[in-house]
Amino acid sequence: MPPLRTLLTLPVSLVLLVLASTTSTTPAPPAVDTALTRLVTQGRIPAAALLTDEGSGSHFAHVEAPTTAVPTDAAGPTGTVRPADGIRPADAIRPADHFRAGSITKSFVATVVLQLAAEHRLSLSDSVDAHLPGLVRGSGNDGRALTLRALLTHTSGLADFTADTKGTLSLTPLQAVRIAIAHPPAERGRFEYSNTNYVLLGMVVEQVTGRSYATEAERRIITPLHLTGTSFPGARRSLPDPHGRAYAADGSDVTDLDPRVAGAAGELVTTLADLNRFYAALLRGDLLPPRQLREMLDTSTAHGLYGMGLYSEKLPCGTTVWGHNGRITGSYVRTAATLDARRVLTFRVNTDAIADPDLEPALLAAEFCPRTP
């Protein structure tokens, strides 16, 4: 994954966050809630939230480090994290809030491509040139030598167009590809994360089906799973209601953003609940036949680092979780799930990154590692 960037420094006078009830008989908060609080206080972010789903039910929590706040009742829904003095920060994240999911878009695009492979409408061994003839040429790049498998696993060697645009320029897919192929490729076959790969896959989906990748994802994934908070906004800059605010690394408000800065590599808008539902369905095999799901989970092509729109992470306790992260200006999100999909977690923050990279794996371990008394 691309390295985390330095984040804005929030005021040091952070609000101490606890569960709504503070009597001596109140049970200790779940370990994952404590980890979420550290994400805000040590990660220097304005706000964070998480949603977990497992056999015993769902759990939502949110934490804010406000610069401004509005009055609210001290009591809140069970399982939420609230300021101890009964204020509700202006940046509080609500359970149904829409947000930008960045590269989690890749899991949706990869699922569509693998569905098309299952339907024999394309093969992962097809060259890029077979579907987009003559497009990938120049500076040592050659679409005749690149397969769809190489795009899915980030082993194509194609340069990442966002290294030039910094995620700030609105582009057509063709413009994004042209920026990328102006650079010589990295060594083919080596894992090198590049947003260009998934822009090309979006173009392949349209060439094969005659419909955009967004339309295909909507009819194949979003509608069947009833992901009512999920959409591909296209050129729409505003987020659907309800939504909170989003902040760039310098603290500026970037809630309104042109999704064409990312396209098929990262334009998705969604909710916490929808992401949990999507990844659980995907890992259960509800969206792909067994063969294609095995291909998606096979990390051998990328030398153990990436599957196809999914990657795994082995936690300190030995548990392995699957999912993806997403980063786009003003938003960072991570979904992780056990392979059997019985436990799923999505957490998000309303800015680009987390100051301390160790906080994310610590939060995952707090949720997925065995709990001790």
Side-chain angles (χ1 to χ4, degrees):
M1 298 299 99
L4 296 177
R5 295 189 297 277
T6 302
L7 191 61
L8 72 162
T9 301
L10 290 176
V12 295
S13 55
L14 294 162
V15 174
L16 177 63
L17 300 167
V18 297
L19 288 179
S21 176
T22 58
T23 66
S24 59
T25 58
T26 300
V32 71
D33 286 8
T34 302
L36 189 72
T37 298
R38 287 198 299 270
L39 200 69
V40 171
T41 58
Q42 298 175 30
R44 301 198 298 276
I45 58 176
L50 63 80
L51 180 68
T52 64
D53 283 292
E54 53 184 296
S56 59
S58 298
H59 171 73
F60 171 76
H62 64 92
V63 184
E64 292 79 31
T67 54
T68 60
V70 294
T72 189
D73 295 332
T78 301
T80 65
V81 180
R82 284 294 184 88
D85 58 359
I87 61 171
R88 182 178 186 273
D91 287 325
I93 296 175
R94 297 158 293 187
D97 277 354
H98 297 84
F99 56 88
R100 303 187 193 280
S103 286
I104 278 181
T105 309
K106 294 178 175 68
S107 297
F108 284 72
V109 172
T111 300
V112 171
V113 172
L114 286 162
Q115 287 178 343
L116 292 172
E119 296 163 7
H120 305 291
R121 300 178 70 179
L122 56 76
S123 168
L124 303 189
S125 299
D126 290 347
S127 70
V128 174
D129 217 60
H131 297 284
L132 304 170
L135 177 60
V136 180
R137 292 282 201 286
S139 305
N141 298 285
D142 189 346
R144 294 168 295 187
L146 299 178
T147 64
L148 301 187
R149 183 184 304 277
L151 299 183
L152 285 162
T153 58
H154 294 293
T155 55
S156 68
L158 292 169
D160 187 346
F161 73 92
T162 65
D164 285 23
T165 66
K166 309 302 181 187
T168 61
L169 293 180
S170 302
L171 302 168
T172 66
L174 184 58
Q175 288 171 327
V177 172
R178 285 175 173 167
I179 289 171
I181 63 175
H183 298 278
E187 179 184 348
R188 194 175 304 139
R190 187 181 71 187
F191 175 75
E192 193 76 31
Y193 192 90
S194 173
N195 289 294
T196 308
N197 292 317
Y198 277 74
V199 169
L200 282 166
L201 287 167
M203 298 174 77
V204 169
V205 169
E206 183 164 2
Q207 191 276 332
V208 170
T209 67
R211 293 178 289 269
S212 71
Y213 65 85
T215 298
E216 287 297 308
E218 286 163 2
R219 75 183 194 88
R220 293 168 174 269
I221 301 171
I222 294 174
T223 298
L225 294 182
H226 305 289
L227 306 181
T228 56
T230 300
S231 63
F232 292 85
R236 177 181 170 176
R237 297 177 60 91
S238 60
L239 287 168
D241 289 327
H243 67 83
R245 311 308 299 172
Y247 301 97
D250 62 4
S252 58
D253 190 317
V254 290
T255 306
D256 287 346
L257 179 76
D258 192 330
R260 291 173 296 180
V261 301
E267 73 158 292
L268 193 75
V269 168
T270 188
T271 65
L272 293 170
D274 276 8
L275 288 185
N276 280 8
R277 189 177 302 119
F278 164 67
Y279 281 101
L282 180 61
L283 291 170
R284 281 196 309 263
D286 296 347
L287 294 173
L288 292 172
R291 178 183 174 184
Q292 279 66 40
L293 183 56
R294 285 195 301 270
E295 294 238 45
M296 191 178 219
L297 297 169
D298 185 354
T299 63
S300 60
T301 301
H303 315 290
L305 298 172
Y306 198 85
M308 297 179 179
L310 287 177
Y311 65 90
S312 63
E313 182 171 348
K314 188 174 183 178
L315 302 176
C317 60
T319 298
T320 297
V321 292
W322 289 85
H324 212 287
N325 69 347
R327 180 183 291 106
I328 192 168
T329 302
S331 180
Y332 179 78
V333 58
R334 173 77 158 98
T335 300
T338 53
L339 187 57
D340 61 10
R342 291 182 180 178
R343 182 178 294 173
V344 189
L345 159 74
T346 298
F347 79 84
R348 59 166 292 229
V349 302
N350 63 347
T351 190
D352 302 358
I354 302 161
D356 182 349
D358 292 332
L359 294 170
E360 178 176 325
L363 189 148
L364 297 181
E367 172 60 21
F368 292 100
C369 287
R371 294 143 183 172
T372 55

